[in-house]
Amino acid sequence: MTDEATRETADDARGWRAATEAALYGPGGFYRRPEGPAGHFRTSVHASRLFAEAVAELLCRVDEALGRPEALDFVDMGAGRGELVRGVLAALPPGVAARTRAYAVELADRPPGLPDRITWLTELPRTVRGLLFANEWLDNVPVEVAEVDPAGVARLVHVRRDGTELLGERVSGPDAQWLARWWPLGAEPGLRAEIGLPRDRAWASAVTSLQRGLAVAVDYAHTVDTRPPFGTLTGFREGRATAPVPDGACDITAHVALDACTALDPALRLPEALLCTQRDALRALGVVGARPPLTLASTNPAGYVRALATAGEAAELTAPGGLGDFLWLLQPVGMDDALL
């Protein structure tokens, strides 16, 4: 960026948070397009039914911890087109499924063909007793981006609709306080950070919707010891990473400072949250990528092929350097532990 750009911001540019909000969720925005997220990128939900089965297992553990209530809630935050909530309901034992109230929370219109038993909402239900699951939701909560200017000052980054960036005003107030605590920037020009305060607030709102149960957030994430020096803001279009352009034609995402989300209001008096990798979480829920024994190939060839395919899907979900590196944040409410 030029020195001139650091001193003034063009009239048609605005902060990344406002630009992303409009590009993703405004009229004609990316998440309102007919094809949905699955038309552009593949999540764990789309990779294998094993993911939904693992979430169903976790819901069953929550059910046990709550004493098998008459009504058990499952909330799918950022539900896309309802793929996860459908898979979870299909994987539940009949007795648990009969007591489960399923909610899908998404700003897009209700997709055609979604089973009537799934309640489609644009906001969180007011009270939840059960499991709230947010798979790749927080990374799409829009945030501001900060960059260090040539004088060593952290400034908000402004962006035009075509993706051109300019440096704007100095980071101040709660945003500056968040950076100082969770993502300290040095004085080297060009260092960048995504200011995760809106995500912390979104997560706190989600957790406080729980009367009793477990809230889980799953995302590409980093912690204070592993913050990337130049941020992670990127775009996705038709299955490929691309430059983030807030024109509504691509996803705009950034990894989540998930450890910051654990610092909820102490007045809530919640049990300590658990952070773990998806690899460890899924293994604890029974998803194992071990190959079937070769002897099965001779005694049951069709069964061997099915088991081999399942092992491959499990391996993809738990792979180092891939989906297995997602972080899971598990926050129990009115429960002693996170059940993993």
Side-chain angles (χ1 to χ4, degrees), residues 24-308:
L24 297 185
Y25 307 114
F30 178 83
Y31 277 96
R32 296 185 184 273
R33 293 163 64 103
E35 70 273 18
H40 295 268
F41 52 85
R42 192 166 181 251
T43 71
S44 297
V45 178
H46 308 121
S48 172
R49 74 182 193 289
L50 295 176
F51 189 80
E53 290 174 359
V55 177
E57 167 63 23
L58 184 57
L59 179 58
C60 288
R61 295 185 187 184
V62 171
D63 183 45
E64 290 290 335
L66 297 181
R68 300 182 183 179
E70 182 178 340
L72 176 69
D73 296 325
F74 176 68
V75 180
D76 181 7
M77 279 297 303
R81 297 301 179 266
E83 298 93 339
L84 178 60
V85 65
R86 289 173 187 252
V88 169
L89 289 175
L92 288 173
V96 179
R99 292 184 288 108
T100 297
R101 299 184 300 194
Y103 300 91
V105 183
E106 181 59 77
L107 291 178
D109 293 336
R110 182 186 182 96
L114 193 73
D116 291 340
R117 67 167 303 185
I118 299 172
T119 301
W120 191 265
L121 301 172
T122 57
E123 296 181 350
L124 279 162
R126 290 187 178 181
T127 56
V128 177
R129 293 172 63 89
L131 174 62
L132 183 149
F133 201 88
N135 185 58
E136 295 194 53
W137 169 57
L138 287 174
D139 67 313
N140 285 127
V141 173
V143 294
E144 299 288 7
V145 177
E147 181 175 322
V148 178
D149 71 7
V153 176
R155 297 187 177 276
L156 293 179
V157 179
H158 290 239
V159 61
R160 296 192 180 106
R161 184 175 168 82
D162 66 1
T164 303
E165 291 184 334
L166 309 95
L167 290 186
E169 65 273 26
R170 183 181 190 136
V171 180
S172 61
D175 284 348
Q177 295 169 12
W178 189 93
L179 280 180
R181 179 177 181 185
W182 293 108
W183 198 330
L185 289 171
E188 180 184 343
L191 292 176
R192 287 171 67 112
E194 292 101 30
I195 303 173
L197 185 58
R199 293 168 172 177
D200 300 351
R201 291 170 174 165
W203 182 244
S205 177
V207 171
T208 54
S209 74
L210 276 172
Q211 285 187 330
R212 286 188 68 205
L214 181 67
V216 181
V218 182
D219 250 305
Y220 272 126
H222 43 67
T223 58
V224 70
D225 296 329
T226 60
R227 302 282 190 241
F230 303 107
T232 62
L233 189 72
T234 190
F236 279 94
R237 191 194 315 265
E238 297 178 354
R240 296 184 179 182
T242 185
V245 178
D247 60 1
C250 72
D251 187 24
I252 299 172
T253 182
H255 295 188
V256 182
L258 208 51
D259 51 342
C261 294
T262 67
L264 301 177
D265 185 350
L268 296 175
R269 299 181 181 180
L270 299 176
E272 185 174 353
L274 170 67
L275 271 176
C276 65
T277 65
Q278 175 156 297
R279 180 167 49 258
D280 290 339
L282 291 184
R283 286 175 177 171
L285 293 168
V287 178
V288 181
R291 292 172 62 92
L294 283 174
T295 53
L296 185 63
S298 57
T299 59
N300 185 356
Y304 177 78
V305 171
R306 289 193 298 270
L308 194 62

